[in-house]
Amino acid sequence: LNVASMFDFKQPTRDLARLCAREGFDDPVARILSETGRLSRHPVFNVGVFAGREKLGEASGPSLNEARIRAAVRALKGWYLYSPLDVRVPSETEGPNAKPWKPVLVDIGEVIV
């Protein structure tokens, strides 16, 4: 099951702004990182979404608006699809010298629909 395909954000820039406000981050700002062919038939814009100095997401697109939306979607997917690297499962608590199990908290959670 590809979990990333289940995310369909209707207004990703608004959702990202709400997420940043909820988590106490600075407001997200889209900045052009690079561009090529602005006056050609097939321009490519590379846009990054930043909260303060922290880059949340980056994406390319044929227009500034499309690149900005794609970068916001990548930032949201990066937040919600994050998986910690060092995870212990409850079955590892069984045994004589096992440490007690402590759940891993990724996001205290609020679903934005």
Side-chain angles (χ1 to χ4, degrees), residues 51-68:
R53 298 180 55 86
E54 187 78 25
K55 183 164 63 169
L56 303 176
E58 178 180 340
S60 299
S63 69
L64 286 170
N65 193 43
E66 183 66 26
R68 181 177 56 87

Side-chain angles (χ1 to χ4, degrees), residues 30-32 34 44-49 57-74:
R31 297 185 190 133
I32 297 175
S34 65
V44 176
F45 298 94
N46 191 20
V47 172
V49 176
E58 178 180 340
S60 299
S63 69
L64 286 170
N65 193 43
E66 183 66 26
R68 181 177 56 87
I69 290 170
R70 289 178 184 179
V73 168
R74 285 202 179 161

